Amino acid sequence: MESFKRKSPEEILDSINKLHRGRLKIYIGAVSGSGKTYHMLQEGQSLQHEGIDVVICAVSTMQRRETVEQVGTLERVPSIHWVQDEVEQKDLNLKALEERNPEVVLVDHLAHHNREGAPFPTRLEDIQYLLELGISVITTVNVYELEGITEWVYQLTGIEAEYTVPIDTLELADEIRLIDVTPETILERLAKGYMHAPNPEMFHRGNLGKLRELALRLVAEDVNDSLERHREELGLHGASGAAERILVPVQYHWNGSIYVRRGEQVAKRLGGDMLVASFVDPRRKLSKESAAFKRSIVQLVDKVGSEFEEIPLISRRRLPRQLIHYAVARNVTRIVMGHSRQTRWQELVRGSLVNGIFKRMKNMDLLLIADRAEQEGERILPTMRQEEDNDPYHRLSDEEAQAEAAKIRRGKLKVYIGAAPGVGKTYTMLREGNDLLTSGIDVVIGLLETHGRAETLAQVGSLDTVSRQIIERHGVYLEEMDTEAILKRNPEVVLIDELAHTNVPGSSRSKRYEDVLTILDQGISVISTMNVQHLESLNDAVEQITGIRVRETVPDRMMRLADEVQLIDVAPKSLQQRMRDGKIYDPTKVEQALSHFFKLGNLIALRELALRELADDVDERLESWDRHESLRGPWRREEVIFVGVTLSNNAERLIRRGFRIAFRLKAVWIVTYVHVGISIPEKLNSRVEQLKMLTHRLGGTFEIRLVSSRREIADILITPVEGYTGTQLIVGQSSRSSRWGKDAVVPQILRRARHMDVLIVADYDPDIKLEEED
């Protein structure tokens, strides 16, 4: 309907002004030396090659060989040099740029402050002036130079930025691109003298990791804002599947603060944000006690940096519908609240908020928090986990010694990951391969898929390629990577494209990642590529985003096994333009791709998914290196998660969800299939085996329990298994009975498992609509 609405004169004038305004693109990095200037200059060269008039001004190459080479034939407009504290500074020469009037100007250091007497005090204002002249600007900034981030950076690292820019500067940008580099790469560049460290504390490994995670999460938040605007324009409601958003509905009661803290922990560990809401009858005045609890809750929400909203309650009976409507409108993925305290009879007479939410929720999960105060006397969260007891004098057994020796001999694995095909993973892998070759490292190409991309093929350079293996299959000859030939060649490093690839039947190993593991075990290092949609545990999220089930997957343990994982980030519209220019797929396939997988909404969501996934991976590495380095904070205690599954199509989704939660919580997790009968019929064995294999592939334990009646299922899911007492139970919404009777499993669990956290995973409905509140 909005498209038919007549624009106001002000809106028309604003649209006309934007036609003449220049475009702003910002490259963001964690620290100096991450490659922002290199990539900015590389883009300038590409634009010049396309016939765009590009100049550079106030660009600092720091005399880095690779960066200097990227200047190439780009015209340099002389900057204005001046000295501050014996350090040479460069200001933009606005008069010269205005007279030259290029289409695009490349300029470094967005946070720079100008000399006294300059036309504008800051470079940001210089750039805004150029944009108004119709000159587009590409520039660079470090994450710690953004106001709002600077204070957080100082608290985490003790690092202060010399100059800053307002964080809403990012809102001015037409495009933002993150240049992601691992701490290992930065430290290696530093050791080789490719860059200098003006602030040595910044280049401490832990600080590099923290700054990298902040950059990933910052850009992910910006992408999320873009995605929500895009979905609103399309009339779509509810969560996209790319990010977690937690809603904590609270009452003004002593346990309200507990639920807020638990909600905050869940949001942090899952890399999402949190909303807190209270539904209050406007006709009733708060008691002094309730008013006091409200103040404490509001203060706590403000302290943890979340949002609080008080909503007028329509009626208690309509509260479940009103709450769900509120959650859908705000793209909530999970509601966190306490268990019902009512008896079954009270629920039937008065109605139950939990049951009402359970019946209506779509595309959002419901996490019911156990009242720990009754079981353990807890009222304040979180508590720190105990440090693991690592005795330095412990003598290794033969098996432990062999395992440690295997780790030492094992090759190094580096993975380039992207949000979609065509972002430049293979291009970057080949460029790194040539850099290593120049450094005297023996590097070969084990498997390369250029997909006919000329730019990628040009990066092969001097690299040798190991010939592929020819496999005959039903009279057809197919090519696969020759792992045995690579082992025989025995290079120091091998480049292997498309980690998720499934090998031709008849190959020695069924998956390419299994070939990679074999190569690593022989002491050969591997650099590989993959897209985020190929991670096994994200399979359901990717299907929710794109409507496409990805068949080729890689176990998440490959990400954890990798010594380095680096994101190649490209803005969705730029990726679509590459597609239109024929740089990704054959021209005959472009329109089909743009209307399916490469739709703008899909690319925005996949980009956010990739940014958040890698941010979580960075935090996991920080935590494994030093638990106190984690930005997400400690989990509250040791957790044991039970996942109850049936043999329905929803079972894999529950198993993957169980894995992701357990991994983020550092929890033991056990998948339980409860079968009604004395044995499992032979016709069901293959389905049970599928679920068992998926559980084992993700690192969990699979249990089969037999019962004689459906009435026993709830109790058996709550019963301790293998000496473990569960702290959280995960079940599917679809496991509910069609009738709310005595045999319905989930209602029984909700009544009998109030000593545990219970997560009900919602069914996915792609056609969710925003209901009226009544």
Side-chain angles (χ1 to χ4, degrees):
M1 296 295 292
E2 281 294 315
S3 60
F4 293 99
K5 184 181 177 182
R6 178 177 292 166
K7 291 183 177 180
S8 67
E10 292 78 11
E11 290 174 325
I12 293 172
L13 185 61
D14 184 57
S15 298
I16 292 172
N17 288 336
K18 285 180 179 178
L19 291 175
H20 300 287
R21 185 177 178 274
R23 282 178 55 84
L24 174 61
K25 180 171 181 176
I26 299 175
Y27 280 93
I28 294 182
V31 293
S32 298
S34 57
K36 302 180 300 297
T37 305
Y38 175 95
H39 284 89
M40 178 181 71
L41 291 169
Q42 189 179 56
E43 181 171 1
Q45 290 282 2
S46 297
L47 291 173
Q48 187 183 61
H49 182 71
E50 294 170 9
I52 305 295
D53 183 17
V54 184
V55 301
I56 64 175
C57 186
V59 170
S60 301
T61 63
M62 308 299 289
Q63 298 306 308
R64 296 168 187 151
R65 177 181 56 82
E66 290 181 345
T67 309
V68 170
E69 288 176 358
Q70 290 302 315
V71 173
T73 58
L74 291 172
E75 179 186 342
R76 186 187 294 270
V77 172
S79 54
I80 297 172
H81 293 237
W82 58 287
V83 176
Q84 182 181 40
D85 299 329
E86 301 182 356
V87 178
E88 187 181 53
Q89 307 286 338
K90 297 178 182 179
D91 286 358
L92 285 176
N93 192 332
L94 292 180
K95 185 176 180 181
L97 286 169
E98 188 173 356
E99 290 176 356
R100 174 63 179 74
N101 193 29
E103 290 179 272
V104 181
V105 59
L106 313 183
V107 55
D108 251 334
H109 305 306
L110 177 61
H112 172 79
H113 282 207
N114 294 330
R115 69 199 183 281
E116 191 174 338
F120 300 103
T122 67
R123 181 154 296 166
L124 173 59
E125 292 166 288
D126 288 343
I127 287 172
Q128 289 174 312
Y129 176 73
L130 293 172
L131 294 173
E132 293 302 322
L133 294 176
I135 299 172
S136 295
V137 177
I138 304 176
T139 187
T140 65
V141 72
N142 292 313
V143 68
Y144 58 84
E145 295 171 328
L146 295 166
E147 290 176 9
I149 301 293
T150 50
E151 185 177 342
W152 198 9
V153 168
Y154 181 73
Q155 291 175 356
L156 291 169
T157 67
I159 295 167
E160 289 186 274
E162 184 179 6
Y163 298 120
T164 62
V165 292
I167 196 165
D168 60 6
T169 302
L170 299 184
E171 296 176 13
L172 301 175
D174 299 277
E175 184 177 337
I176 295 168
R177 182 180 171 191
L178 173 70
I179 303 301
D180 180 49
V181 178
T182 65
E184 291 80 5
T185 299
I186 291 286
L187 293 173
E188 187 176 345
R189 290 176 182 174
L190 197 63
K192 290 182 177 179
Y194 295 163
M195 53 183 283
H196 69 282
N199 184 349
E201 187 62 28
M202 185 178 292
F203 290 85
H204 177 267
R205 179 184 168 186
N207 286 344
L208 288 173
K210 292 173 185 175
L211 291 169
R212 183 189 181 198
E213 184 178 348
L214 284 172
L216 285 159
R217 295 199 187 282
L218 176 70
V219 177
E221 285 300 318
D222 182 76
V223 174
N224 181 259
D225 292 342
S226 300
L227 179 59
E228 291 192 355
R229 286 195 298 270
H230 178 75
R231 287 172 61 82
E232 285 174 10
E233 289 170 6
L234 296 178
L236 299 174
H237 302 285
S240 67
E244 292 274 1
R245 177 166 290 171
I246 311 302
L247 170 63
V248 183
V250 296
Q251 294 178 307
Y252 299 142
H253 191 258
W254 69 264
N255 59 11
S257 296
I258 288 182
Y259 299 144
V260 171
R261 286 195 178 276
R262 285 301 304 276
E264 181 208 7
Q265 289 177 320
V266 171
K268 276 190 172 184
R269 299 304 297 187
L270 299 181
D273 56 5
M274 179 179 71
L275 308 173
V276 179
S278 184
F279 293 81
V280 178
D281 187 343
R283 296 164 297 183
R284 297 181 62 180
K285 186 178 179 181
L286 292 179
S287 66
K288 288 185 178 180
E289 185 181 46
S290 295
F293 283 127
K294 175 182 176 179
R295 286 193 297 273
S296 66
I297 289 170
V298 171
Q299 288 172 1
L300 176 58
V301 172
D302 183 62
K303 181 180 178 181
V304 300
S306 296
E307 297 178 33
F308 175 81
E309 189 171 359
E310 191 174 80
I311 300 105
L313 178 66
I314 296 173
S315 75
R316 292 198 63 81
R317 192 159 289 278
R318 292 182 181 177
L319 178 56
R321 180 175 294 184
Q322 187 181 0
L323 194 151
I324 290 293
H325 183 281
Y326 177 87
V328 170
R330 284 153 185 80
N331 303 325
V332 167
T333 60
R334 181 172 306 192
I335 298 172
V336 176
M337 58 189 294
H339 278 282
S340 171
R341 293 175 174 271
Q342 300 181 125
T343 65
R344 185 181 181 189
W345 177 249
Q346 287 173 326
E347 289 177 352
L348 289 172
V349 174
R350 303 176 187 172
S352 164
L353 176 60
V354 170
N355 292 345
I357 292 171
F358 171 62
K359 291 176 183 177
R360 291 174 173 82
M361 65 187 200
K362 294 179 181 178
N363 300 356
M364 69 182 74
D365 301 341
L366 175 62
L367 176 60
L368 300 172
I369 302 299
D371 186 352
R372 306 288 183 193
E374 289 185 9
Q375 280 76 38
E376 305 163 19
E378 286 188 51
R379 283 205 176 192
I380 299 175
L381 298 170
T383 57
M384 298 287 284
R385 288 175 57 181
Q386 294 296 314
E387 296 283 1
E388 294 181 6
D389 184 18
N390 295 318
D391 187 351
Y393 296 102
H394 168 68
R395 179 181 292 168
L396 298 177
S397 66
D398 290 343
E399 292 78 10
E400 289 173 329
Q402 288 175 8
E404 291 300 316
K407 289 180 184 178
I408 294 169
R409 287 194 296 265
R410 179 180 160 272
K412 180 181 176 181
L413 174 61
K414 181 172 184 176
V415 178
Y416 284 106
I417 192 168
V423 297
K425 303 178 298 296
T426 305
Y427 180 100
T428 309
M429 177 183 73
L430 291 169
R431 195 180 72 202
E432 181 173 4
N434 273 294
D435 288 344
L436 291 171
L437 194 67
T438 304
S439 302
I441 305 295
D442 182 18
V443 186
V444 299
I445 296 172
L447 193 289
L448 175 63
E449 297 287 2
T450 66
H451 299 287
R453 297 166 193 160
E455 290 179 343
T456 304
L457 188 61
Q459 292 301 311
V460 171
S462 304
L463 294 167
D464 290 335
T465 302
V466 176
S467 299
R468 301 191 188 194
Q469 179 185 15
I470 307 298
I471 299 175
E472 188 270 334
R473 176 77 173 168
H474 302 311
V476 179
Y477 292 92
L478 303 167
E479 294 183 341
E480 278 295 356
M481 183 174 75
D482 195 336
T483 302
E484 279 61 40
I486 292 171
L487 296 175
K488 186 177 180 180
R489 169 65 174 74
N490 194 31
E492 291 178 88
V493 181
V494 61
L495 312 182
I496 299 176
D497 227 347
E498 300 187 358
L499 188 61
H501 172 78
T502 301
N503 293 332
V504 173
S507 302
S508 301
R509 286 159 288 274
S510 62
K511 300 285 291 187
R512 186 164 291 163
Y513 74 79
E514 295 173 340
D515 291 322
V516 167
L517 290 172
T518 300
I519 293 167
L520 291 170
D521 286 342
Q522 296 304 307
I524 300 170
S525 294
V526 176
I527 303 176
S528 191
T529 65
M530 65 177 288
N531 292 318
V532 70
Q533 65 262 30
H534 292 127
L535 272 177
E536 174 68 58
S537 70
L538 292 176
N539 203 253
D540 306 297
V542 171
E543 184 178 22
Q544 180 178 336
I545 290 167
T546 66
I548 298 168
R549 171 66 69 175
V550 176
R551 299 298 174 189
E552 294 187 318
T553 60
V554 172
D556 291 59
R557 63 187 171 89
M558 291 300 294
M559 280 271 282
R560 301 198 297 276
L561 182 69
D563 300 275
E564 294 183 61
V565 181
Q566 187 168 317
L567 178 71
I568 306 299
D569 181 46
V570 173
K573 288 185 178 179
S574 293
L575 193 58
Q576 285 188 323
Q577 189 58 50
R578 286 188 189 181
M579 176 70 76
R580 294 188 185 96
D581 293 341
K583 294 180 179 180
I584 300 177
Y585 289 159
D586 184 274
T588 59
K589 299 178 180 178
V590 168
E591 288 307 316
Q592 182 183 7
L594 288 172
S595 60
H596 289 83
F597 190 84
F598 277 77
K599 287 192 295 189
L600 183 61
N602 287 354
L603 294 179
I604 297 172
L606 287 170
R607 184 189 184 198
E608 182 179 356
L609 199 65
L611 286 160
R612 292 187 185 279
E613 189 64 22
L614 196 55
D616 284 345
D617 180 74
V618 171
D619 202 86
E620 294 292 338
R621 292 170 190 274
L622 283 170
E623 196 168 47
S624 65
W625 181 54
D626 181 346
R627 183 173 58 78
H628 299 286
E629 296 287 303
S630 172
L631 270 65
R632 294 176 297 167
W635 190 242
R636 45 183 298 282
R637 64 192 190 121
E638 294 293 342
E639 299 276 339
V640 178
I641 294 175
F642 292 166
V643 184
V645 298
T646 64
L647 301 185
S648 70
N649 293 332
N650 197 41
E652 283 91 349
R653 187 160 174 260
L654 279 174
I655 292 170
R656 294 188 187 103
R657 184 65 62 88
F659 159 74
R660 288 187 67 77
I661 293 170
F663 179 62
R664 299 300 182 228
L665 270 54
K666 307 291 185 297
V668 172
W669 64 292
I670 300 164
V671 177
T672 303
Y673 166 55
V674 183
H675 181 77
V676 180
I678 57 174
S679 64
I680 298 175
E682 188 175 342
K683 64 181 181 180
L684 299 180
N685 282 338
S686 62
R687 177 61 177 152
V688 173
E689 190 62 26
Q690 285 178 340
L691 302 182
K692 183 178 180 180
M693 288 176 61
L694 175 59
T695 303
H696 289 170
R697 197 159 63 240
L698 291 171
T701 301
F702 190 84
E703 296 279 344
I704 299 173
R705 312 289 289 277
L706 301 176
V707 294
S708 58
S709 165
R710 278 182 57 86
R711 297 180 189 180
E712 300 174 52
I713 295 177
D715 286 333
I716 208 77
L717 287 174
I718 298 166
T719 303
V721 176
E722 296 256 329
Y724 289 112
T725 299
T727 57
Q728 184 172 150
L729 175 63
I730 300 176
V731 292
Q733 185 182 19
S734 59
S735 64
R736 66 188 178 191
S737 173
S738 58
R739 58 195 176 91
W740 200 258
K742 60 185 177 182
D743 290 339
V745 176
V746 174
Q748 291 183 61
I749 289 172
L750 296 183
R751 284 193 296 273
R752 300 177 191 176
R754 292 176 180 175
H755 61 289
M756 301 172 66
D757 294 348
V758 177
L759 175 66
I760 304 171
V761 177
D763 297 332
Y764 173 61
D765 179 4
D767 300 316
I768 187 170
K769 294 179 176 60
L770 198 63
E771 295 181 13
E772 293 298 325
E773 287 189 55
D774 284 352

